[in-house]
Amino acid sequence: MSSAANRRAGRRAPRIPEGERVAAFTDYEAARKAVMTLAEADFPIKRVSIIGSDLTSVERITGMVTAGRAAGSGLMTGLMLGMFAGLVSLIVNPGIELMSLLAMGLIAVGVGVLWSVVSYLASPSKRNYTSVMQTIPNRFELVVPAGDVAEARRHLGALALRPEAPVTPTRTMPVAGAESAQPAQIVPDAAPAAPIPHGATATDATPARPRTYGEAQDELKRQEALRAAPRDRDAAN
């Protein structure tokens, strides 16, 4: 019983449609025209979704709150309250007099105006303004199932997004001796090793071990000794 209820709740809960983006626009009207373009091409528009992203909250100022505006708001509230009270009185007592209904309406209007004005005067900040809050997307994307992407892009033509090129994976390696605040160098993936020639062994293909500082100094001394030996023989002759 609980699993069935969970499935029904999952169907009722809104979810972001799955698929791929085929077009993107900065206003809703352009996205609507793109949907109409697909509809004219006999594309199944039931598979198309318009997703708004990059939301921005906008507060539109409609005016200042003054005593006169507060009284007008209370007047409308009182009229609605008086009409409701008069209708209930007619249902309960069909023989009620007209003057009683008018008096009831005037009392309701007076109470509404008085309440609004008193609330305005008792407010600590009398320079408040009225506004309307709205949440507006800055980007509208057309999303279709993965199997319909090619057809949708063909119908949209220049309005469609181009397929994204694949990105070559890279790995980051820290630089020896660099400070931690400096960004790591990006090193592309190493090329595959060259094949071993026919007849050679794996040992021959293995690169030599780097020489240490002491070994490099010994090699330099041996080369200097070899170069100095002919000069010593010439000097002796």
Side-chain angles (χ1 to χ4, degrees):
M1 185 68 179
S2 60
S3 60
N6 292 336
R7 286 196 297 269
R8 288 195 297 270
R11 287 194 296 266
R12 290 194 300 267
R15 295 185 301 173
I16 297 178
E18 298 180 356
E20 296 186 19
R21 301 177 303 164
V22 294
F25 308 93
T26 56
D27 60 287
Y28 179 79
E29 185 63 22
R32 188 190 66 81
K33 290 181 179 179
V35 173
M36 296 306 298
T37 300
L38 293 175
E40 293 172 358
D42 295 332
F43 185 85
I45 59 175
K46 289 184 178 180
R47 304 176 188 174
V48 181
S49 301
I50 300 177
I51 300 179
S53 59
D54 192 10
L55 302 180
T56 302
S57 177
V58 179
E59 182 178 7
R60 302 186 185 276
I61 310 302
T62 58
M64 294 294 296
V65 177
T66 60
R69 192 159 186 163
S73 176
L75 176 63
M76 296 302 298
T77 303
L79 283 176
M80 297 298 296
L81 181 61
M83 292 175 61
F84 177 75
L87 181 60
V88 172
S89 299
L90 284 175
I91 294 174
V92 175
N93 184 15
I96 190 173
E97 297 181 356
L98 180 60
M99 294 301 297
S100 299
L101 292 176
L102 292 177
M104 190 180 302
L106 290 175
I107 292 174
V109 170
V111 170
V113 172
L114 182 62
W115 179 264
S116 296
V117 172
V118 170
S119 299
Y120 167 75
L121 295 176
S123 177
S125 56
K126 300 181 179 61
R127 298 181 60 85
N128 284 341
Y129 54 83
T130 58
S131 61
V132 177
M133 294 293 297
Q134 293 178 314
T135 301
I136 302 176
N138 293 323
R139 182 181 175 87
F140 297 89
E141 299 176 346
L142 262 62
V143 176
V144 300
D148 300 323
V149 171
E151 182 181 359
R153 284 176 176 163
R154 179 169 55 85
H155 292 319
L156 290 174
L159 299 177
L161 292 174
R162 298 297 96 191
E164 297 180 358
V167 180
T168 303
T170 58
R171 66 176 185 270
T172 58
M173 296 182 61
V175 180
E179 298 181 0
S180 58
Q182 295 179 350
Q185 293 183 349
I186 299 178
V187 181
D189 291 342
I196 300 175
H198 180 70
T201 63
T203 306
D204 298 335
T206 304
R209 178 181 60 83
R211 292 181 299 178
T212 63
Y213 178 78
E215 293 173 347
Q217 292 295 324
D218 295 340
E219 180 66 22
L220 290 176
K221 291 178 180 179
R222 285 194 295 270
Q223 293 179 2
E224 292 178 357
L226 291 175
R227 288 195 296 267
R231 293 197 296 269
D232 295 341
R233 286 195 298 269
D234 295 341
N237 294 334

